Amino acid sequence: MKRFLLTICLFWGVIPLCAQDVFAPWRASWAKTAEACKPELSVETVLPSCRVEIVPDASEYQGYKAVPASTPLYGEPLEEGVPVFYDLGRHVTGYLTVNFQITRRCQDAPVRLRLFFGELPSEMTAPLEPWASDLGRGWMQEEILTVEDLSRPLEIPRRLSGRYLSIELLSGSRGFDFTVSEVSFKAVSSASFSEYAPDGNSAGALYDRALNTLRECMQTVYEDGPKRDRRLWGIDAYFGTLSNNSTFKNHNLTKRCLYLLASLSSEEGLLFADVFETPSPHPQDGNISLDCSLFYPRMLLEYAKATGDVETVRDLWPVVVRQVEAAKEHLTAEGLFCPSVTGKYSWLIFDWNEGLDRDVQTQGIMIWALRGCSQLAEMIGERRRSAEFDAFANKMAKAVLKHCYDRRARLFVSGPERQVSWNSQIWMVVSGVVSGERAVAALESVARDPKALTPGTPAANHFLVEAYLMSGLNSKAGELLTSYWGGMVTDQTDTLFEVYDPSNDYTSPYGSWQVNSYCHLWSTTPLFFFRTATSSPQSLRD
Ligand code: RAM
């Protein structure tokens, strides 16, 4: 209670906001709680299901597939320049060990090997040079090494994530031959490997892939993608919370992430968009994003709704209030988001969508966050604060309806160019600015506009499903889950992707599809929709 009173003092003027570190009274305790919530990782040994050949097939995603090889799993002597490929049978994250066996004479020279670990068949044969991405080539799971003693297990220290392995002899010796005698992989996750094993759930393959993806991303934090970026992002953790609440219910993982983000916030009390756990917890400095920080109250709300843990809401209340108060500095007096007031934020993150005008979207995200803050305030008995949050949300809703709603076209337009985008309509529905017939009209009007910018990521499409469900357009929600997420279901992968464009297998915000993550947390929320929609009066399946 003392902490809570201190909060009241801090945020209502008794402790001056000009303090060096606004969260100094709580930061150490938040870090301690985050550490105390660190989960143990389950470990499962996975052996390859078979040797495979990577063959072109225009009918497959990105034009390649892995087909079982006629050769035995082990025993064939490695030939220089001829890689051998293994399929581990499913996407795994963890640590690889390879054992070798001399098949002719004895080792008389060190050998140079190239190991490559990938998520898709196409990754296994695609050239890495010239490197085309603006992200580091280091993300590619390629290990070039010299082995002096093939009698010892080769343990790769780097954590790997994917499904396919290639082993290539770059340089051997005429004096002897050797083969791979065993490949084994220690898969790790903070989610159980047995619970919720693919059960042919009525949603079938999509549900199973979403579950596999979630399990892979649930490490000692919610990782956005276990191959890349391998770290805690505020936005992705929100989606992970929804999916985890609907499946594994490892609520301590969510709690850890909430406390870790809080403990690593800036001295001005702003949340960083992403944080690292190692070598010791630290934020990606310089990466503070207004829209990302507004997902935090909603993540806390989903955690609190699932657990009833009001104490944590109270403990993290200063973080919630600070994010919203700071965002308010970017509004006009009328309550309209004004991006020109960049201030403390480095960028707006939501949705990889070239050319998207984010004014209306950010207005919606903030109203959505405020509505969440109002519910959190109710939970901790702060009725006056709850009413204040709602009143401010109403003010912002009134302002965006006044300035950005095109009554003739019956949809919202964003920015000085009055841009029409799906994202603007989605966020005006999700935030409750429009509902009922007006919400349906906005979603149907934008669908009729061929020039309207479409959602850029599964994260944005998640909110389109939400908008459809909130507008009673359940069959459209079901169609979108089936067509968009269903489009990621291939028999060459068993996870869901960071980026997916039904019209272009090679789309990438990074300049190279090879560095895309094909196992990404924000794509797992069919797990949430299948669980919650079936409990709603109108199921996704109606
Ligand atoms: C990339 C990843 C990550 C996302 C950020 C905004 O780094 O897709 O998951 O949260 O962008």
Side-chain angles (χ1 to χ4, degrees), residues 450-466:
K451 293 196 301 296
L453 267 73
T454 51
T457 58
N461 275 294
H462 163 91
F463 286 106
L464 178 51
V465 175
E466 286 225 18

Side-chain angles (χ1 to χ4, degrees), residues 224-225 228-229 231 233-236 347 349-350 352 498-499 510 520 522:
D224 63 322
R228 204 227 76 245
D229 292 323
R231 56 181 178 264
W233 280 87
I235 278 193
D236 301 68
W347 57 316
I349 275 185
F350 191 78
W352 291 109
E498 169 187 23
V499 185
Y510 312 115
H520 221 66
W522 66 22

Side-chain angles (χ1 to χ4, degrees), residues 181-217:
S181 59
E182 186 191 50
V183 169
S184 69
F185 196 95
K186 286 227 174 310
V188 295
S189 167
S190 57
S192 154
F193 284 106
S194 52
E195 191 188 4
Y196 289 102
D199 61 1
N201 175 284
S202 56
L206 173 55
Y207 185 89
D208 291 344
R209 279 162 175 74
L211 195 71
N212 293 342
T213 307
L214 176 62
R215 181 184 291 117
E216 291 290 277
C217 295

Side-chain angles (χ1 to χ4, degrees), residues 422 445-454:
W422 279 81
S445 302
V446 75
R448 287 193 294 270
D449 180 346
K451 293 196 301 296
L453 267 73
T454 51

Side-chain angles (χ1 to χ4, degrees), residues 309-446:
D309 180 0
V310 177
E311 267 325 294
T312 292
V313 176
R314 276 202 179 81
D315 199 12
L316 297 174
W317 188 242
V319 183
V320 170
V321 173
R322 181 72 186 111
Q323 303 324 297
V324 173
E325 294 307 322
K328 279 183 182 176
E329 294 166 26
H330 295 261
L331 303 178
T332 62
E334 210 178 345
L336 213 52
F337 175 65
C338 181
S340 56
V341 184
T342 46
K344 311 172 181 67
Y345 298 97
S346 45
W347 57 316
L348 291 173
I349 275 185
F350 191 78
D351 207 20
W352 291 109
N353 201 333
E354 206 58 46
L356 175 67
D357 184 291
R358 288 171 164 76
D359 289 5
V360 165
Q361 170 176 277
T362 310
Q363 186 89 3
I365 291 173
M366 187 157 172
I367 295 169
W368 176 70
L370 284 163
R371 301 289 186 209
C373 292
S374 171
Q375 294 176 61
L376 288 169
E378 281 289 342
M379 282 182 171
I380 56 175
E382 275 296 303
R383 297 204 190 301
R384 184 175 58 78
R385 204 73 175 117
S386 176
E388 281 175 9
F389 285 129
D390 273 335
F392 203 86
N394 295 338
K395 175 181 177 178
M396 290 187 70
K398 191 172 164 209
V400 72
L401 275 166
K402 177 181 168 188
H403 293 283
C404 304
Y405 185 63
D406 181 329
R407 294 183 190 290
R408 186 187 52 75
R410 306 190 72 192
L411 47 59
F412 291 84
V413 291
S414 187
E417 305 301 318
R418 298 178 70 75
Q419 182 190 78
V420 175
S421 72
W422 279 81
N423 289 36
S424 294
Q425 317 320 311
I426 289 166
W427 280 105
M428 290 293 96
V429 174
V430 165
S431 63
V433 170
V434 290
S435 57
E437 196 276 330
R438 259 189 169 181
V440 172
L443 295 170
E444 290 179 344
S445 302
V446 75

Side-chain angles (χ1 to χ4, degrees), residues 45 118 138 201 208 220 242-243 256 288 291 293 302 316 334 346 356 438 458:
T45 298
N201 175 284
D208 291 344
T220 47
L242 294 180
S243 299
R256 168 172 167 77
I288 292 181
D291 50 0
S293 65
E302 292 303 328
L316 297 174
E334 210 178 345
S346 45
L356 175 67
R438 259 189 169 181

